[in-house]
């Protein structure tokens, strides 16, 4: 197999949808036992000199996970599209494939607003 250059890899990633890219990142993390977000907290902890800095960093980011679409699936798809700027097919696939993260690593207030909007549409949501 020919080795791809960084530019060739980036060109491939540009063609992927957000959901495909998120699935790739998850598979990469599992394959190599790494976390994509681990670099920033580690650098912060190293610079600040303690686990407390890394702990504070983790609490600033929340994931909004759609656990069930509920009875009003179309309304939930509309809200997912508004929150993520996904196309209709991608949003429908996300809602059909629950549980799935709708938003990842967002601020607490943004996560709460997204969760409220999804719950208002009839979905079951977790904020982690």
């Amino acid at each position: 197999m020919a080795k791809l250059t960084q530019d060739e890899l980036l060109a491939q990633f540009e063609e992927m949808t957000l959901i495909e890219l998120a699935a790739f990142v998850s598979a990469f993390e599992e394959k190599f036992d790494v976390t994509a977000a681990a670099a920033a907290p580690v650098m912060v902890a190293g610079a600040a000199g303690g686990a407390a800095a890394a702990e504070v960093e983790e609490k600033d980011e929340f994931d909004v996970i759609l656990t069930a679409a509920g009875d009003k699936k179309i309304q939930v798809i509309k809200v997912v599209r508004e929150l993520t700027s996904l196309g209709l097919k991608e949003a429908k696939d996300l809602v059909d494939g629950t549980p799935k993260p709708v938003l990842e690593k967002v601020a607490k207030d943004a996560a709460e607003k997204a969760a409220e909007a999804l719950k208002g549409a009839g979905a079951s949501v977790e904020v982690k």
Side-chain angles (χ1 to χ4, degrees):
M1 182 172 161
K3 185 175 179 181
L4 296 175
T5 67
Q6 186 175 6
D7 290 334
E8 291 171 331
L9 283 171
L10 289 173
Q12 290 296 314
F13 292 138
E14 285 178 341
E15 295 176 12
M16 298 174 100
T17 66
L18 216 57
I19 292 177
E20 291 171 334
L21 190 57
F24 170 78
V25 170
S26 296
F28 185 90
E29 290 173 344
E30 288 177 23
K31 170 91 173 163
F32 296 105
D33 195 27
V34 295
T35 304
V42 170
M43 290 189 304
V44 170
E55 193 173 309
V56 169
E57 183 70 26
E58 289 178 25
K59 292 182 181 178
D60 289 343
E61 297 177 339
F62 295 87
D63 295 341
V64 179
I65 300 171
L66 180 66
T67 55
D71 295 336
K72 299 178 182 177
K73 185 174 160 183
I74 294 173
Q75 294 300 326
V76 173
I77 292 171
K78 287 180 182 179
V79 172
V80 167
R81 288 189 67 200
E82 290 171 7
L83 294 172
T84 62
S85 300
L86 292 174
L88 180 60
K89 182 182 182 330
E90 289 85 6
K92 182 183 179 302
D93 291 345
L94 189 146
V95 171
D96 288 341
T98 56
K100 291 272 186 166
V102 175
L103 297 174
E104 294 179 313
K105 297 176 179 62
V106 295
K108 184 177 183 176
D109 60 334
E112 289 174 352
K113 287 179 184 177
E116 287 177 26
L118 287 165
K119 287 178 184 176
S124 299
V125 181
E126 285 182 16
V127 176
K128 291 184 180 183

